[in-house]
Amino acid sequence: MHKFNGKEYPCCTSLTMGIIGGKWKTVILYHLLDKKLRYNELRKEMPTVTERTLSLQLKMLEADGIIKREVYTSKPPLKVEYSLTDFGKTLIPLIQSIANWGDFVVEKYSKSKID
Amino acid sequence: MHKFNGKEYPCCTSLTMGIIGGKWKTVILYHLLDKKLRYNELRKEMPTVTERTLSLQLKMLEADGIIKREVYTSKPPLKVEYSLTDFGKTLIPLIQSIANWGDFVVEKYSKSKID
DNA sequence: CAGTATCCACATTGATACTG
DNA sequence: CAGTATCAATGTGGATACTG
Protein backbone atom coordinates (compact mmCIF):
# COMPACT_ATOMS: atom_id res chain seq x y z
CA MET A 1 0.00 0.00 0.00
CA HIS A 2 1.52 3.30 -1.10
CA LYS A 3 0.72 6.81 -0.02
CA PHE A 4 0.96 10.08 -1.91
CA ASN A 5 -0.54 13.45 -1.04
CA GLY A 6 -2.85 11.90 1.52
CA LYS A 7 -4.27 9.27 -0.83
CA GLU A 8 -3.57 5.57 -0.58
CA TYR A 9 -2.97 3.23 -3.48
CA PRO A 10 -2.84 -0.57 -3.47
CA CYS A 11 -0.30 -0.80 -6.30
CA CYS A 12 2.42 1.31 -7.89
CA THR A 13 0.32 1.49 -11.06
CA SER A 14 -2.66 2.86 -9.11
CA LEU A 15 -0.49 5.61 -7.73
CA THR A 16 0.45 6.73 -11.23
CA MET A 17 -3.12 6.50 -12.41
CA GLY A 18 -4.34 8.36 -9.36
CA ILE A 19 -2.19 11.29 -10.42
CA ILE A 20 -2.59 11.31 -14.20
CA GLY A 21 -5.83 9.30 -14.52
CA GLY A 22 -9.28 10.57 -15.23
CA LYS A 23 -10.78 11.85 -18.42
CA TRP A 24 -8.71 14.97 -18.93
CA LYS A 25 -5.43 15.02 -17.04
CA THR A 26 -3.31 13.25 -19.64
CA VAL A 27 -4.77 15.48 -22.33
CA ILE A 28 -3.77 18.58 -20.39
CA LEU A 29 -0.29 17.20 -19.76
CA TYR A 30 0.06 16.21 -23.39
CA HIS A 31 -0.52 19.81 -24.44
CA LEU A 32 1.89 21.09 -21.81
CA LEU A 33 4.67 18.67 -22.74
CA ASP A 34 6.88 21.23 -24.43
CA LYS A 35 5.33 24.63 -23.79
CA LYS A 36 3.51 26.88 -21.37
CA LEU A 37 -0.13 27.54 -22.15
CA ARG A 38 -2.72 29.99 -20.90
CA TYR A 39 -6.10 28.88 -19.67
CA ASN A 40 -7.91 29.86 -22.86
CA GLU A 41 -5.21 28.34 -25.02
CA LEU A 42 -5.80 25.04 -23.27
CA ARG A 43 -9.53 25.42 -23.86
CA LYS A 44 -8.93 25.89 -27.56
CA GLU A 45 -6.82 22.71 -27.65
CA MET A 46 -9.56 20.83 -25.82
CA PRO A 47 -12.85 22.04 -27.31
CA THR A 48 -15.02 19.48 -25.54
CA VAL A 49 -14.02 20.19 -21.96
CA THR A 50 -16.07 22.62 -19.89
CA GLU A 51 -14.55 25.57 -18.06
CA ARG A 52 -15.39 24.15 -14.69
CA THR A 53 -13.87 20.75 -15.40
CA LEU A 54 -10.71 22.19 -16.89
CA SER A 55 -10.34 24.41 -13.85
CA LEU A 56 -10.77 21.49 -11.44
CA GLN A 57 -8.32 19.26 -13.28
CA LEU A 58 -5.70 22.00 -13.37
CA LYS A 59 -6.07 22.45 -9.63
CA MET A 60 -5.61 18.76 -8.98
CA LEU A 61 -2.50 18.61 -11.13
CA GLU A 62 -1.20 21.68 -9.33
CA ALA A 63 -1.98 20.14 -5.93
CA ASP A 64 -0.01 17.04 -6.87
CA GLY A 65 2.95 19.19 -7.88
CA ILE A 66 2.80 18.21 -11.56
CA ILE A 67 2.10 21.64 -13.04
CA LYS A 68 2.65 25.18 -11.88
CA ARG A 69 0.43 28.23 -12.28
CA GLU A 70 2.10 31.55 -12.91
CA VAL A 71 0.16 34.81 -12.74
CA TYR A 72 1.58 37.78 -14.62
CA THR A 73 -0.98 40.51 -13.99
CA SER A 74 -2.71 41.71 -10.86
CA LYS A 75 -5.89 43.12 -12.43
CA PRO A 76 -8.26 41.84 -15.08
CA PRO A 77 -7.69 40.91 -17.77
CA LEU A 78 -5.50 38.35 -16.07
CA LYS A 79 -2.63 36.54 -17.64
CA VAL A 80 -1.98 33.10 -16.25
CA GLU A 81 0.31 30.46 -17.65
CA TYR A 82 0.44 26.77 -16.88
CA SER A 83 3.53 24.62 -17.29
CA LEU A 84 5.14 21.44 -16.02
CA THR A 85 7.12 21.54 -12.79
CA ASP A 86 10.44 19.69 -12.56
CA PHE A 87 8.53 16.83 -10.95
CA GLY A 88 5.95 17.01 -13.75
CA LYS A 89 8.74 16.78 -16.30
CA THR A 90 9.60 13.31 -15.03
CA LEU A 91 6.27 12.29 -16.58
CA ILE A 92 7.22 13.38 -20.09
CA PRO A 93 8.36 9.97 -21.36
CA LEU A 94 5.29 8.32 -19.87
CA ILE A 95 2.87 10.80 -21.43
CA GLN A 96 4.60 10.30 -24.74
CA SER A 97 4.29 6.53 -24.43
CA ILE A 98 0.60 6.90 -23.69
CA ALA A 99 0.17 9.12 -26.73
CA ASN A 100 2.19 6.76 -28.89
CA TRP A 101 0.15 3.71 -27.94
CA GLY A 102 -3.03 5.65 -28.70
CA ASP A 103 -1.62 6.60 -32.09
CA PHE A 104 -0.63 3.01 -32.71
CA VAL A 105 -4.19 1.85 -32.07
CA VAL A 106 -5.62 4.54 -34.33
CA GLU A 107 -3.19 3.48 -37.07
CA LYS A 108 -4.00 -0.18 -36.62
CA TYR A 109 -7.73 0.46 -36.82
CA SER A 110 -7.66 2.90 -39.70
CA LYS A 111 -5.91 0.19 -41.70
CA SER A 112 -8.17 -2.71 -40.76
CA LYS A 113 -11.51 -0.91 -40.78
CA ILE A 114 -13.22 1.27 -43.34
CA ASP A 115 -15.12 3.31 -40.79
CA MET B 1 -11.26 12.89 -32.85
CA HIS B 2 -10.46 9.19 -32.69
CA LYS B 3 -12.77 6.22 -32.49
CA PHE B 4 -12.25 2.83 -30.89
CA ASN B 5 -14.85 0.19 -30.09
CA GLY B 6 -17.69 2.65 -30.51
CA LYS B 7 -16.24 5.26 -28.18
CA GLU B 8 -14.88 8.60 -29.29
CA TYR B 9 -11.79 10.27 -27.90
CA PRO B 10 -10.60 13.83 -28.47
CA CYS B 11 -6.90 12.97 -28.20
CA CYS B 12 -4.62 9.97 -28.66
CA THR B 13 -3.89 10.04 -24.94
CA SER B 14 -7.62 9.87 -24.12
CA LEU B 15 -7.94 6.78 -26.26
CA THR B 16 -5.25 5.01 -24.28
CA MET B 17 -6.72 6.16 -20.98
CA GLY B 18 -10.18 5.12 -22.11
CA ILE B 19 -8.89 1.58 -22.47
CA ILE B 20 -6.56 1.24 -19.48
CA GLY B 21 -7.90 4.05 -17.27
CA GLY B 22 -10.08 3.78 -14.21
CA LYS B 23 -9.24 2.61 -10.75
CA TRP B 24 -8.46 -1.04 -11.44
CA LYS B 25 -7.61 -1.80 -15.05
CA THR B 26 -3.90 -1.05 -14.86
CA VAL B 27 -3.66 -3.08 -11.66
CA ILE B 28 -5.25 -6.08 -13.37
CA LEU B 29 -2.97 -5.72 -16.37
CA TYR B 30 0.05 -5.33 -14.13
CA HIS B 31 -0.67 -8.70 -12.54
CA LEU B 32 -1.27 -10.30 -15.93
CA LEU B 33 1.94 -8.94 -17.46
CA ASP B 34 3.82 -12.21 -17.43
CA LYS B 35 1.35 -14.90 -16.43
CA LYS B 36 -2.17 -16.22 -16.64
CA LEU B 37 -4.26 -15.85 -13.50
CA ARG B 38 -7.56 -17.27 -12.33
CA TYR B 39 -10.34 -15.06 -11.03
CA ASN B 40 -9.64 -15.85 -7.40
CA GLU B 41 -5.92 -15.46 -7.88
CA LEU B 42 -6.53 -11.95 -9.12
CA ARG B 43 -8.72 -11.28 -6.11
CA LYS B 44 -5.93 -12.34 -3.81
CA GLU B 45 -3.52 -9.98 -5.55
CA MET B 46 -6.04 -7.16 -5.20
CA PRO B 47 -7.58 -7.52 -1.75
CA THR B 48 -9.48 -4.24 -1.81
CA VAL B 49 -11.47 -4.78 -5.01
CA THR B 50 -14.98 -6.21 -4.81
CA GLU B 51 -16.10 -9.22 -6.82
CA ARG B 52 -18.53 -7.18 -8.84
CA THR B 53 -16.00 -4.52 -9.77
CA LEU B 54 -13.31 -7.02 -10.69
CA SER B 55 -15.81 -8.85 -12.85
CA LEU B 56 -16.87 -5.65 -14.62
CA GLN B 57 -13.33 -4.50 -15.25
CA LEU B 58 -12.34 -7.88 -16.65
CA LYS B 59 -15.29 -7.73 -19.03
CA MET B 60 -14.34 -4.29 -20.25
CA LEU B 61 -10.75 -5.34 -20.87
CA GLU B 62 -12.02 -8.40 -22.69
CA ALA B 63 -14.45 -6.31 -24.76
CA ASP B 64 -11.57 -4.05 -25.82
CA GLY B 65 -9.54 -7.09 -26.86
CA ILE B 66 -6.83 -6.57 -24.26
CA ILE B 67 -7.28 -9.79 -22.30
CA LYS B 68 -8.75 -13.17 -23.09
CA ARG B 69 -10.85 -15.44 -20.91
CA GLU B 70 -10.29 -19.17 -21.20
CA VAL B 71 -12.66 -21.68 -19.64
CA TYR B 72 -11.31 -25.14 -18.90
CA THR B 73 -14.26 -26.93 -17.27
CA SER B 74 -17.90 -27.18 -18.21
CA LYS B 75 -19.35 -27.76 -14.75
CA PRO B 76 -18.76 -26.15 -11.37
CA PRO B 77 -16.27 -25.75 -9.91
CA LEU B 78 -15.21 -23.76 -12.94
CA LYS B 79 -11.67 -23.10 -13.98
CA VAL B 80 -11.18 -19.85 -15.82
CA GLU B 81 -7.90 -18.18 -16.70
CA TYR B 82 -7.27 -14.63 -17.78
CA SER B 83 -4.30 -13.57 -19.86
CA LEU B 84 -3.16 -10.88 -22.27
CA THR B 85 -4.09 -11.16 -25.94
CA ASP B 86 -1.51 -10.36 -28.61
CA PHE B 87 -3.03 -6.90 -28.78
CA GLY B 88 -2.88 -6.64 -25.00
CA LYS B 89 0.79 -7.55 -25.10
CA THR B 90 1.52 -4.37 -27.03
CA LEU B 91 0.67 -2.61 -23.76
CA ILE B 92 3.39 -4.35 -21.76
CA PRO B 93 6.04 -1.60 -22.04
CA LEU B 94 3.44 1.05 -21.20
CA ILE B 95 2.17 -0.78 -18.13
CA GLN B 96 5.75 -1.22 -17.01
CA SER B 97 6.44 2.48 -17.48
CA ILE B 98 3.36 3.30 -15.42
CA ALA B 99 4.52 0.95 -12.67
CA ASN B 100 8.04 2.34 -12.81
CA TRP B 101 6.94 5.94 -12.46
CA GLY B 102 4.77 4.95 -9.49
CA ASP B 103 7.75 3.22 -7.92
CA PHE B 104 9.89 6.26 -8.59
CA VAL B 105 7.42 8.48 -6.74
CA VAL B 106 7.23 6.05 -3.82
CA GLU B 107 11.02 6.02 -3.65
CA LYS B 108 11.26 9.78 -3.85
CA TYR B 109 8.74 10.24 -1.07
CA SER B 110 10.01 7.56 1.22
CA LYS B 111 13.32 9.35 1.15
CA SER B 112 12.05 12.87 1.68
CA LYS B 113 9.31 12.15 4.21
CA ILE B 114 9.28 10.24 7.46
CA ASP B 115 5.67 9.13 7.17
C1' DC C 1 -14.90 -21.66 -8.33
C1' DA C 2 -16.42 -17.95 -10.81
C1' DG C 3 -19.15 -15.25 -11.12
C1' DT C 4 -24.49 -12.33 -11.09
C1' DA C 5 -28.30 -9.61 -8.97
C1' DT C 6 -29.81 -5.90 -6.52
C1' DC C 7 -29.43 -1.76 -4.41
C1' DC C 8 -26.77 2.16 -3.13
C1' DA C 9 -22.99 5.86 -2.15
C1' DC C 10 -19.98 8.76 -3.93
C1' DA C 11 -17.03 10.87 -7.39
C1' DT C 12 -16.62 12.87 -11.70
C1' DT C 13 -18.10 15.65 -15.37
C1' DG C 14 -21.22 18.74 -17.61
C1' DA C 15 -24.35 23.20 -18.71
C1' DT C 16 -25.00 27.63 -17.89
C1' DA C 17 -24.70 31.96 -15.80
C1' DC C 18 -21.98 35.05 -13.47
C1' DT C 19 -17.56 37.74 -11.45
C1' DG C 20 -12.82 40.14 -10.19
C1' DC D 1 -9.03 36.81 -19.32
C1' DA D 2 -9.48 33.44 -16.04
C1' DG D 3 -11.95 31.68 -13.66
C1' DT D 4 -16.29 30.50 -9.75
C1' DA D 5 -21.28 29.29 -8.45
C1' DT D 6 -25.02 26.50 -8.81
C1' DC D 7 -27.48 22.66 -10.19
C1' DA D 8 -27.88 18.36 -12.45
C1' DA D 9 -26.63 14.12 -14.94
C1' DT D 10 -23.74 10.40 -15.39
C1' DG D 11 -20.33 7.13 -14.20
C1' DT D 12 -17.74 4.38 -11.23
C1' DG D 13 -17.17 1.57 -7.53
C1' DG D 14 -18.93 -0.81 -3.26
C1' DA D 15 -21.81 -4.29 0.06
C1' DT D 16 -24.08 -8.17 0.32
C1' DA D 17 -26.55 -12.14 -0.95
C1' DC D 18 -27.17 -15.52 -4.20
C1' DT D 19 -26.29 -19.10 -8.37
C1' DG D 20 -24.58 -22.58 -12.16
Side-chain angles (χ1 to χ4, degrees):
Chain A
M1 193 68 94
H2 307 302
K3 214 172 178 177
F4 179 77
N5 266 6
K7 282 165 276 183
E8 295 206 330
Y9 304 99
C11 174
C12 48
T13 60
S14 344
L15 197 158
T16 305
M17 297 306 282
I19 296 173
I20 66 165
K23 194 167 170 181
W24 294 110
K25 286 190 214 157
T26 52
V27 184
I28 294 172
L29 295 174
Y30 180 67
H31 290 300
L32 293 178
L33 273 186
D34 54 354
K35 55 189 178 303
K36 301 183 174 202
L37 284 179
R38 301 178 64 174
Y39 180 80
N40 271 358
E41 289 173 329
L42 276 169
R43 287 228 293 152
K44 274 166 206 154
E45 301 277 6
M46 304 158 60
T48 57
V49 74
T50 62
E51 298 174 357
R52 173 190 142 90
T53 299
L54 178 55
S55 178
L56 289 175
Q57 306 296 315
L58 287 168
K59 277 191 185 157
M60 286 190 250
L61 287 169
E62 196 188 355
D64 282 336
I66 306 298
I67 64 173
K68 60 171 176 273
R69 178 179 182 274
E70 294 172 295
V71 186
Y72 293 100
T73 51
S74 56
K75 291 185 188 176
L78 292 184
K79 176 172 180 181
V80 178
E81 280 189 337
Y82 292 94
S83 57
L84 297 180
T85 61
D86 285 343
F87 180 42
K89 285 176 185 163
T90 64
L91 276 168
I92 291 178
L94 182 52
I95 302 293
Q96 278 169 339
S97 301
I98 290 172
N100 288 343
W101 193 82
D103 278 335
F104 156 73
V105 174
V106 171
E107 272 292 297
K108 179 185 154 84
Y109 269 70
S110 64
K111 279 177 188 155
S112 58
K113 286 198 173 184
I114 307 293
D115 185 8
Chain B
M1 195 67 95
H2 307 303
K3 213 171 179 177
F4 179 77
N5 266 6
K7 283 165 278 186
E8 295 205 330
Y9 303 100
C11 173
C12 47
T13 61
S14 340
L15 197 158
T16 304
M17 298 305 284
I19 295 173
I20 67 165
K23 193 167 171 181
W24 295 112
K25 284 188 215 163
T26 52
V27 184
I28 295 172
L29 294 175
Y30 180 67
H31 290 300
L32 292 179
L33 273 185
D34 53 355
K35 54 188 178 303
K36 300 183 176 204
L37 284 178
R38 300 179 63 172
Y39 181 81
N40 271 359
E41 290 173 327
L42 276 170
R43 288 228 295 153
K44 275 167 206 154
E45 301 276 6
M46 304 158 59
T48 56
V49 75
T50 61
E51 298 175 358
R52 171 192 141 90
T53 299
L54 178 56
S55 178
L56 288 176
Q57 306 298 315
L58 287 168
K59 278 192 182 154
M60 287 190 252
L61 287 169
E62 196 188 355
D64 282 335
I66 305 296
I67 63 173
K68 59 172 177 269
R69 179 179 182 274
E70 293 172 296
V71 187
Y72 293 99
T73 50
S74 56
K75 289 187 190 178
L78 292 184
K79 176 172 180 180
V80 177
E81 280 187 338
Y82 292 94
S83 56
L84 297 181
T85 60
D86 285 343
F87 180 41
K89 285 176 185 164
T90 64
L91 275 169
I92 291 178
L94 182 53
I95 301 293
Q96 278 169 339
S97 301
I98 290 172
N100 287 344
W101 192 82
D103 279 335
F104 156 73
V105 174
V106 172
E107 273 291 299
K108 177 183 154 89
Y109 269 69
S110 63
K111 280 177 186 156
S112 58
K113 286 198 173 184
I114 307 294
D115 184 9

